[in-house]
Amino acid sequence: EIVVTAETPLLQTGTGTVGETLKSDAIEDLPINGRDYTVLARLTAGIVPPQPGARAPLMFSANGVRPAQNNYLLAGIDNNTSNVDFLSGVAYIVKPPVDAVDEIKILTSSFSAEYGRAGGAVLNTTLKSGTSQLRGTVWEFHRNDALNASDFFANRAGLKKGDYLSNQYGFTAGGPAIGTKTFWFVDYEGSLTKQARTWVRTVPTALQRSSGFTDFSDLISLQSGNIAADALGRVHPRGTVFDPATTRSVQ
């Protein structure tokens, strides 16, 4: 007797693993900034974004451990980098395009010893494969600065709005090998980004440059009030820079 059921059982008695599985249709339909599918792991219970300012925005923390303690697998193969990029949040080596991903399985607790390594979560990505019919997709995502607000400091300095131009493009294709029962599947994705940045920097004043960086009177004049009197009762303007070679000990 063969019984086929479409519903997921409410209780899995064969394993105590806790996690979530995302299929290709959900992966492709959900909005993903930058098309990095690893951010979808945050849809799983027990996974949260990292501490603001301490880690990159693409990382995630599972069960309260560090983001670098997650385990990335690609079709069951180790996909972890030994040099985590904490600026971009990239902790994996290969990132296939969203359109090439068939399934993402996120395991957060009680997973079997076959995975190992992870103190946090296991993110196992499965790629699509070819079928008996020739199929493929082509995409191009374009973003520009038409609807972006200008930088505050650029407006203050009378500068024009910085340029921003991003294009992500690629394709997937799969099908059968002629005369055999072998199937093939290929994918490619490219990314080109042009982005202007506004930097705010402080340069030496004219008096600093002309005095060999000994005259800071123009900077002191920008501050008001005096500092508290010292042990000798002397009062100095706030912001005064002292020469350590002219000091004397105070008994």
Side-chain angles (χ1 to χ4, degrees):
E1 180 181 2
I2 299 176
V3 179
V4 180
T5 58
E7 296 80 10
T8 302
L10 299 178
L11 179 63
Q12 298 183 11
T13 58
T15 176
T17 302
V18 178
E20 187 76 25
T21 300
L22 299 176
K23 298 295 185 179
S24 59
D25 52 351
I27 298 171
E28 295 177 10
D29 294 340
L30 289 172
I32 305 176
N33 186 13
R35 288 175 57 81
D36 190 330
Y37 62 85
T38 60
V39 298
L40 296 178
R42 301 179 187 179
L43 299 177
T44 305
I47 294 182
V48 296
Q51 179 183 357
R55 292 294 184 268
L58 291 182
M59 289 185 168
F60 60 88
S61 176
N63 304 320
V65 303
R66 296 177 179 271
Q69 292 180 297
N70 298 318
N71 187 11
Y72 294 88
L73 301 176
L74 183 59
I77 302 174
D78 187 355
N79 191 31
N80 299 283
T81 176
S82 58
N83 186 18
V84 178
D85 187 346
F86 287 100
L87 294 178
S88 66
V90 174
Y92 45 79
I93 300 175
V94 179
K95 181 185 74 69
V98 172
D99 299 74
V101 176
D102 182 55
E103 179 182 278
I104 302 175
K105 182 173 292 186
I106 306 104
L107 309 178
T108 57
S109 180
S110 301
F111 40 83
S112 62
E114 65 178 293
Y115 297 101
R117 185 184 185 276
V122 176
L123 193 149
N124 190 8
T125 304
T126 304
L127 299 179
K128 294 179 180 179
S129 61
T131 63
S132 58
Q133 296 181 349
L134 182 63
R135 295 182 178 179
T137 58
V138 178
W139 67 86
E140 202 276 339
F141 294 90
H142 172 76
R143 292 176 57 190
N144 56 34
D145 54 87
L147 299 179
N148 291 352
S150 181
D151 184 87
F152 170 81
F153 296 100
N155 278 336
R156 185 178 182 182
L159 302 176
K160 68 175 184 178
K161 181 172 63 176
D163 295 333
Y164 182 84
L165 183 64
S166 174
N167 287 280
Q168 286 181 287
Y169 53 90
F171 70 90
T172 64
I178 300 177
T180 66
K181 295 183 179 180
T182 303
F183 305 97
W184 57 270
F185 183 85
V186 296
D187 63 77
Y188 171 80
E189 182 173 58
S191 179
L192 297 175
T193 303
K194 177 183 177 183
Q195 182 176 8
R197 299 186 63 180
T198 302
W199 296 89
V200 179
R201 291 293 182 265
T202 301
V203 297
T205 64
L207 282 177
Q208 287 179 279
R209 296 194 300 270
S210 61
S211 64
F213 295 93
T214 60
D215 189 347
F216 292 84
S217 58
D218 53 347
L219 295 181
I220 296 174
S221 65
L222 298 177
Q223 305 184 55
S224 60
N226 300 319
I227 60 177
D230 59 15
L232 298 179
R234 296 174 299 181
V235 178
H236 303 279
R238 188 177 302 277
T240 302
V241 178
F242 298 96
D243 184 356
T246 62
T247 60
R248 58 175 174 170
S249 59
V250 178
Q251 303 296 332

